[in-house]
Amino acid sequence: MDALHVDLLVIGFGKGGKTIAAAMGRRGQRVVMVEQSDQMYGGTCINIGCVPTKALVHDAESRRPGDAPKHWYARAVTRKTDLTALLRGKNFDMLDVIDSVTVVTGRATFAGPREVEVRAGTDLLRIRAETVVIDTGSEPVIPEIPGVHDNPRVTTSTTLIATEDLPARLVVIGGGYVGIELAGMYAQFGSQVTVLESAERVFGREDDDVAAAAREILERQGVTFLTGVRATSIRDADDGATVSYEGRGPGGAGGGAVTGDLVLLAAGRRPVTAGLGLDVAGIRTTDRGAIEVDEHLRTSVPGVYAVGDVNGGPQFTYISLDDSRIVLDQLVGSGERSTADRVAVPYTVFVSPPLARVGLTEREARAAGHDVLVASKAVAALAAMPRARIVEQTDGLMKFVVDAGSGLVLGTALLCVDSQELINTVALAMRHGISATGLRDAIYTHPSSTEGFNEVLAALV
């Protein structure tokens, strides 16, 4: 057995881990990055998450009525594959060019508090480190539904976006944001899409008006929603996989069945900790299976940190990046930075147009006791936002929730073209105490989507 003693060991090539590895390597520390697959260099986002799915969303939106669905989809999958291969190589090179950083491909298992064994075939390497960072990410949850396992017609997001054959009919089990994004995308590619969701409505985290607007857009694009239902079995036949369900509410209609060429499981994601041997190292996990960390991302073992999805925090790449800043502050900084510093963290659901939100919903703000002002307007009614008409995307709305006393923005929902960019401006304003009138009266380029703020917030005068 070969053995190494290094300054830093990073397990998992995700955003947070690779950022820490590169930063410490550039400081001259001896670093080993362990990744179980050479097809995952760069992490989930680049290879099977954010980047490939958003590339497919873009191509789905670009399909014209005369473009043959199957050909257009196969072309999009090829472009996605080429893009991820390019970025995977760039991510490997990012570490490979640093002399003191070594990338090891294999499966890591803890043999002690800061010691692992890495296996690759018959090869075995033992690594002992002064500091360990775990960044193994998350994976799709596989619900225990009869007929799920070993079923070639059942897929997860990972395998679905790798297939080159467009399913004529797609059944999505789970109406969370991953399921909804993929449902909208495949409907625009030309699939007949049905979503089964156990809750009484989709977009459950959003205000009723925002959720209704987003659902109506998706339904016009060809998505059918069955809400208040629970999938009870999946049965294969020559013509597809039939998903039986029980209904609990108006959307369930008492139960029934729907058949698809493929069935997508979109029941959420869970931290990847199985097989790591965390118990051997003395690293505690939460009831939900995440690695337990404090506000500085320290685990129960001194010198061991957990970043990204595996620590149970918000499952966003940009949170993993911020995790890296917290850990680096522990290693080479003042040690003061923490997760408590995060304010106004936005998110975007890449439906078409995208839905972006930050802060409190109107419902949450009122429940918290705020005296609120609400400014909301449909994009199609905005005279001061010509960009929406220029790009032929006038669906959606803009909604601001403002504290009546201070004039500060409490939260914003943007269901509109460019919302994934606009929301960052709002979040920055919220972090730095810029009022709603400050956003309203700002000077924006023309024609731009940001100009919509001028008109929507004018209602607060």
Side-chain angles (χ1 to χ4, degrees):
M1 181 189 300
D2 293 327
L4 290 175
H5 184 194
V6 298
D7 298 304
L8 172 66
L9 166 65
V10 180
I11 306 173
F13 213 136
K15 183 68 171 182
K18 69 188 179 188
T19 303
I20 296 167
M24 298 306 288
R26 286 192 294 266
R27 297 177 72 92
Q29 292 209 357
R30 190 173 186 195
V31 179
V32 169
M33 162 68 76
V34 177
E35 171 53 54
Q36 66 178 357
S37 169
D38 60 5
Q39 295 301 298
M40 288 298 290
Y41 293 158
T44 294
C45 177
I46 285 171
N47 293 289
I48 58 174
C50 322
V51 171
T53 56
K54 277 51 177 181
L56 289 171
V57 167
H58 170 75
D59 284 348
E61 292 173 338
S62 302
R63 187 176 74 86
R64 298 158 299 190
D67 294 319
K70 287 185 176 294
H71 171 76
W72 191 263
Y73 176 72
R75 170 185 173 276
V77 171
T78 298
R79 190 179 80 86
K80 177 269 302 180
T81 301
D82 292 343
L83 175 61
T84 54
L86 173 68
L87 295 177
R88 187 162 56 245
K90 286 185 176 295
N91 272 261
F92 176 79
D93 292 343
M94 179 187 78
L95 295 185
D96 192 49
V97 297
I98 304 173
D99 290 340
S100 62
V101 178
T102 301
V103 177
V104 175
T105 305
R107 291 183 175 273
T109 304
F110 278 93
R114 291 191 303 279
E115 190 170 3
V116 302
E117 291 181 354
V118 182
R119 293 182 181 274
T122 58
D123 295 330
L124 182 62
L125 173 67
R126 185 180 288 266
I127 305 172
R128 186 159 54 91
E130 298 302 311
T131 302
V132 177
V133 174
I134 305 171
D135 186 19
T136 48
S138 61
E139 62 187 358
V141 172
I142 308 300
E144 290 300 323
I145 301 171
V148 160
H149 299 288
D150 299 319
N151 189 327
R153 294 188 183 273
V154 174
T155 182
T156 65
S157 59
T158 302
T159 50
L160 177 62
I161 65 173
T163 179
E164 296 182 357
D165 295 324
L166 178 69
R169 301 162 299 172
L170 177 66
V171 179
V172 181
I173 298 178
Y177 291 153
V178 171
I180 283 176
E181 279 191 6
L182 293 174
M185 176 216 303
Y186 277 89
Q188 290 193 96
F189 272 126
S191 298
Q192 176 185 317
V193 180
T194 304
V195 176
L196 308 182
E197 166 56 32
S198 60
E200 294 303 320
R201 70 176 177 92
V202 290
F203 295 102
R205 294 172 60 184
E206 313 301 332
D207 282 325
D208 290 347
D209 53 347
V210 176
R215 175 171 176 162
E216 190 271 333
I217 291 169
L218 284 162
E219 288 177 333
R220 277 196 281 111
Q221 292 169 353
V223 179
T224 298
F225 291 99
L226 296 176
T227 56
V229 304
R230 181 179 65 86
T232 56
S233 68
I234 301 174
R235 179 176 51 82
D236 272 4
D238 291 341
D239 64 339
T242 298
V243 181
S244 297
Y245 59 86
E246 294 178 346
R248 293 189 328 218
V258 59
T259 300
D261 299 287
L262 290 178
V263 177
L264 169 64
L265 303 178
R269 297 179 65 86
R270 63 186 177 196
V272 176
T273 56
L276 283 177
L278 299 178
D279 53 339
V280 175
I283 299 171
R284 293 196 297 266
T285 57
T286 68
D287 292 341
R288 299 176 65 87
I291 295 177
E292 184 179 293
V293 294
D294 64 11
E295 69 275 16
H296 300 292
L297 306 179
R298 298 175 296 205
T299 71
S300 54
V301 174
V304 180
Y305 300 83
V307 300
D309 293 1
V310 76
N311 68 25
Q315 294 180 350
F316 301 127
T317 297
Y318 45 93
I319 290 296
S320 184
L321 176 60
D322 196 60
D323 282 356
S324 74
R325 298 174 184 135
I326 293 171
V327 172
L328 285 169
D329 190 49
Q330 287 288 305
L331 299 179
V332 295
S334 66
E336 297 177 355
R337 189 167 187 145
S338 79
T339 56
D341 299 329
R342 293 173 181 158
V343 177
V345 176
Y347 64 83
T348 302
V349 186
F350 282 85
V351 288
S352 302
L355 168 61
R357 190 163 68 76
V358 65
L360 302 177
T361 63
E362 178 185 355
R363 181 177 64 246
E364 291 168 340
R366 293 190 188 282
H370 290 281
D371 182 13
V372 302
L373 300 173
V374 176
S376 180
K377 199 165 188 178
V379 172
L382 290 172
M385 188 179 165
R387 172 164 165 75
R389 290 179 172 81
I390 291 169
V391 300
E392 300 179 298
Q393 181 54 278
T394 57
D395 284 333
L397 56 80
M398 289 185 170
K399 180 176 183 178
F400 287 80
V401 180
V402 179
D403 183 82
S406 67
L408 295 176
V409 177
L410 297 173
T412 301
L414 304 174
L415 176 63
C416 63
V417 61
D418 300 329
S419 69
Q420 76 278 12
E421 305 291 348
L422 302 180
I423 202 67
N424 294 316
T425 297
V426 180
L428 188 64
M430 291 174 66
R431 291 184 205 117
H432 293 278
I434 297 172
S435 67
T437 53
L439 278 172
R440 180 196 67 195
D441 297 337
I443 300 172
Y444 302 114
T445 56
H446 175 79
S448 69
S449 296
T450 326
E451 290 179 292
F453 296 171
N454 298 140
E455 184 173 342
V456 175
L457 290 169
L460 298 179
V461 176

